Amino acid sequence: MTILNAYIKEMTDNNQSVLSGENAFKLYDTYGFPLELTEEILEEKNLKVDKDEFNNEMESQRTRARNARSESNYMGAEENILNKIDSGVETRFVGYSETRTETVVEIISKENEFVHSIEQGEEGFVLTEKTPFYAEMGGQVGDTGLIYNESFEGEVFDCKKSIAGKIVHVIKAKKGQLKTGDSVILEVNNERRQNICRNHTATHILHKALKTILGDHVNQAGSLVDKDKLRFDFTHFSSLTDEEIENIEELVNKEIMEAYMVDTQEMELEDAKKAGAMALFDEKYADKVRVVSVGDFSKELCGGTHVKNSGQIGMFKIISESGIAAGIRRIEALTGVNALKYMEEKTDIIKEGANILKSSEKEFIRKLTSVVNELKEKEKEINDLKHKLVAGAEDEILSSMVNIKGVNLITAKLDGVDTNSLRDLAEKLRSKAKDGLVVLAGISEDKVNFVAMASKEAVSKGVHCGKIIKEIAAIAGGGGGGRPDMAQAGGKLPEKAQEALNKIVTILETLIK
Ligand SMILES: [Zn+2]
């Protein structure tokens, strides 16, 4: 434990005998290092932990987590009209066993006001005596579906809980009018709900699988369960290896295939804890709790909706694993048909790739590797050829040499030449031109590179490559400079390269004494 060792060193260096509660908590929270173990190790060195401070840190962490959860679970405070609802109003959840329920409309609100009816085209909140709609809670999204009777049709597009815990349907009236006191049928979109259930039960199995494979320090730090995927955040100090991910997937799928009955039981909190049910360490629970068991594999306190049998999950596939904060990892995964579709997409990619490479799927990777290697070789070949082409241009360029006040000036513009080849060529030309100045412009893609080289004799006559290059690069939208005998620059306006080269004669005339 290098972090703890660092703390110990710091303490001995500063002559301290007590580890701060903040650091002890960091070890616990971020690195999954139990307090007892920290104490044990410190004791061997006659050091202690500030336990009071540790407990304070723990308490404030719990409060933070609780607040963060309630904010996301409940409707915002701005819907304060719903907070004025009489506490005697009951909105009973019957959705564990039913997805279609006949009930009575108790309260309608619209634009933050209580109303007696809602008309076609309007949006509002509807509360009913009982409901099969699950309100967003514990990471599980709210149900959607229909609300209707003989003279009214509406769509429930979300379901949330008010701060007072009332179940609120967020609806849009599609046809007719709905009044308080009306009888209505509430019908949950069952296909969507089933997908949510698959993901929720899979989350419980995943939680237990993570504890089994990674260790007991793994704790749920958050989760999101909707119709498309599941997201699970947990405490763990390093990213998962490919092997760990494979092992987790395999264990989860194995438990799915066991086709366990998913059982729910109401019991006293103490009994649930005795039975070994996993609970969020920072959550406050009521005395009566609901325990969801997936066979003998997982037992967890949970208010969410689940499949009846783990076999209904069908299939589980992790699609990403990442870190979201120090010591907190996030897994995203798919279940059922969504997982199947994901695997099919992957298979299609391999199939398509193999087709393009005209190879079998089995030979795909070997073929791809050889194509990539071949490409690298070709690239090298092309570069060598370019080099040779540039070298061949030597004589032609030399023939354009002019003499300015006793200095032999050689200029040339070359297409598709990199700076290295440009420098090589300039050097060769310089050695061939006595009293010479060579300035080359290499055009590549959307820029121009200049290289200037002058012989000793030319420099002694006043030639200064740095000064020349600075002035001509400015014409081509760039800058640069260098020594009297050698300079280099780049410009963003390749179309101005020739104009820049033409300017050299004038510059030379002023430079040469
Ligand atoms: Zn749950």
Side-chain angles (χ1 to χ4, degrees):
M1 191 67 204
T2 48
I3 309 279
L4 180 53
N5 286 338
Y7 287 155
I8 292 173
K9 190 176 178 303
E10 201 184 311
M11 288 163 71
T12 12
D13 287 353
N14 296 322
N15 243 338
Q16 289 167 340
S17 63
V18 183
L19 179 69
S20 75
E22 194 187 328
N23 283 344
F25 184 74
K26 204 166 167 191
L27 282 168
Y28 163 81
D29 187 49
T30 311
Y31 301 98
F33 213 58
L35 176 66
E36 297 72 30
L37 202 51
T38 307
E39 282 185 301
E40 213 171 283
I41 292 169
L42 289 178
E43 216 167 294
E44 286 169 15
K45 300 186 171 13
N46 280 323
L47 302 169
K48 278 193 282 189
V49 176
D50 187 335
K51 266 173 113 172
D52 287 344
E53 207 188 339
F54 176 89
N55 289 332
N56 285 343
E57 290 284 337
M58 181 77 113
E59 192 44 51
S60 50
Q61 159 90 330
R62 282 181 178 151
T63 315
R64 272 199 304 277
R66 219 162 24 231
N67 289 346
R69 262 202 304 278
S70 2
E71 268 164 32
S72 60
N73 286 344
Y74 296 94
M75 310 185 74
E78 69 274 14
E79 280 90 11
N80 49 21
I81 182 84
L82 295 166
N83 300 331
K84 292 179 189 151
I85 294 168
D86 190 84
S87 59
V89 173
E90 230 203 308
T91 57
R92 194 154 47 90
F93 179 61
V94 296
Y96 290 133
S97 52
E98 300 171 26
T99 52
R100 183 180 181 279
T101 303
E102 191 168 351
T103 182
V104 176
V105 175
E106 292 181 304
I107 288 165
I108 302 175
S109 89
K110 173 177 96 182
E111 287 160 10
N112 216 16
E113 249 177 72
F114 290 123
V115 290
H116 288 296
S117 66
I118 187 163
E119 317 279 333
Q120 184 174 332
E122 291 177 336
E123 288 182 11
F125 299 135
V126 172
L127 281 71
T128 53
E129 264 177 25
K130 53 180 181 170
T131 176
F133 280 73
Y134 184 82
E136 182 184 342
M137 183 64 60
Q140 180 177 334
V141 295
D143 278 328
T144 64
L146 302 173
I147 176 168
Y148 61 93
N149 58 28
E150 276 173 0
S151 57
F152 175 80
E153 275 174 33
E155 187 198 334
V156 179
F157 59 86
D158 203 356
C159 185
K160 289 171 176 279
K161 257 187 195 171
S162 73
I163 291 170
K166 311 289 176 207
I167 300 173
V168 180
H169 306 93
V170 187
I171 80 148
K172 186 176 169 86
K174 295 274 183 195
K175 206 176 115 187
Q177 183 196 50
L178 185 72
K179 299 188 297 298
T180 50
D182 279 358
S183 281
V184 278
I185 290 169
L186 284 169
E187 202 175 298
V188 171
N189 177 339
N190 201 29
E191 199 186 319
R192 181 177 177 277
R193 160 77 83 84
Q194 278 310 306
N195 282 331
I196 295 169
C197 289
R198 274 187 193 93
N199 286 332
H200 198 150
T201 311
T203 304
H204 284 213
I205 299 176
L206 172 64
H207 189 180
K208 183 61 191 288
L210 288 168
K211 274 184 184 290
T212 310
I213 285 166
L214 301 178
D216 249 346
H217 63 277
V218 168
N219 274 306
Q220 177 166 353
S223 78
L224 177 76
V225 175
D226 64 24
K227 69 180 195 341
D228 301 315
K229 62 171 187 313
L230 66 94
R231 201 174 78 190
F232 191 75
D233 301 340
F234 57 100
T235 51
H236 185 57
F237 33 87
S238 57
S239 61
L240 304 193
T241 64
D242 287 348
E243 199 191 346
E244 282 170 332
I245 290 178
E246 268 174 38
N247 290 340
I248 291 160
E249 272 180 350
E250 212 175 294
L251 180 56
V252 173
N253 279 301
K254 191 179 144 275
E255 300 308 323
I256 288 170
M257 284 184 274
E258 288 289 338
Y260 290 125
M261 290 309 293
V262 178
D263 184 44
T264 56
Q265 254 182 302
E266 292 248 328
M267 57 174 89
E268 301 288 330
L269 179 60
E270 276 314 304
D271 293 338
K273 283 184 175 166
K274 266 181 220 152
M278 290 192 278
L280 294 180
F281 81 102
D282 52 6
E283 187 72 277
K284 274 208 174 103
Y285 291 97
D287 294 339
K288 274 263 184 204
V289 292
R290 185 166 177 268
V291 176
V292 176
S293 312
V294 185
D296 290 331
F297 186 70
S298 143
K299 207 180 266 295
E300 205 170 313
L301 300 193
C302 176
T305 62
H306 289 269
V307 292
K308 289 188 171 64
N309 184 296
S310 70
Q312 287 173 292
I313 298 168
M315 184 180 182
F316 172 85
K317 179 76 193 157
I318 292 174
I319 56 166
S320 78
E321 190 275 331
S322 58
I324 53 162
I328 301 202
R329 310 295 306 172
R330 167 170 292 175
I331 279 181
E332 286 187 305
L334 304 175
T335 63
V337 174
N338 287 330
L340 184 66
K341 277 189 188 151
Y342 176 83
M343 302 291 278
E344 272 170 0
E345 270 169 32
K346 297 274 169 199
T347 321
D348 283 349
I349 290 170
I350 296 169
K351 209 181 274 176
E352 211 180 307
N355 265 341
I356 292 171
L357 287 174
K358 296 192 169 46
S359 88
S360 69
E361 284 170 37
K362 228 177 156 180
E363 293 282 293
F364 175 50
I365 295 298
R366 200 187 55 77
K367 186 81 186 273
L368 187 63
T369 314
S370 86
V371 165
V372 169
N373 287 338
E374 215 172 287
L375 214 59
K376 272 187 205 149
E377 261 167 47
K378 292 267 189 273
E379 213 167 291
K380 195 177 163 292
E381 250 171 61
I382 289 172
N383 270 334
D384 289 350
L385 281 172
K386 269 190 191 164
H387 231 83
K388 278 181 191 152
L389 272 179
V390 170
E394 235 175 273
D395 293 336
E396 205 188 322
I397 295 171
L398 262 179
S399 68
S400 71
M401 186 162 78
V402 289
N403 192 285
I404 311 290
K405 288 168 89 175
V407 170
N408 284 323
L409 171 65
I410 299 167
T411 61
K413 196 180 84 168
L414 300 134
D415 284 325
V417 181
D418 61 50
T419 326
N420 281 339
S421 314
L422 213 58
R423 256 198 316 260
D424 288 352
L425 180 61
E427 220 169 300
K428 272 187 202 153
L429 290 167
R430 176 172 62 177
S431 70
K432 285 192 180 175
K434 203 172 171 285
D435 288 338
L437 165 66
V438 183
V439 184
L440 301 178
I443 313 287
S444 61
E445 282 163 24
D446 50 356
K447 59 178 194 148
V448 52
N449 291 310
F450 292 105
V451 170
M453 286 188 192
S455 65
K456 260 186 209 150
E457 298 87 345
V459 172
S460 71
K461 287 179 181 166
V463 171
H464 192 295
C465 291
K467 285 180 187 167
I468 295 168
I469 236 54
K470 193 178 172 205
E471 214 167 309
I472 66 166
I475 296 171
R483 304 191 310 245
D485 63 333
M486 151 80 187
Q488 213 171 296
K492 284 176 295 207
L493 306 168
E495 67 274 14
K496 295 267 192 176
Q498 192 57 56
E499 190 187 328
L501 291 176
N502 293 345
K503 176 83 180 172
I504 298 170
V505 174
T506 333
I507 304 170
L508 265 187
E509 277 167 351
T510 60
L511 281 178
I512 299 169
K513 291 155 212 159

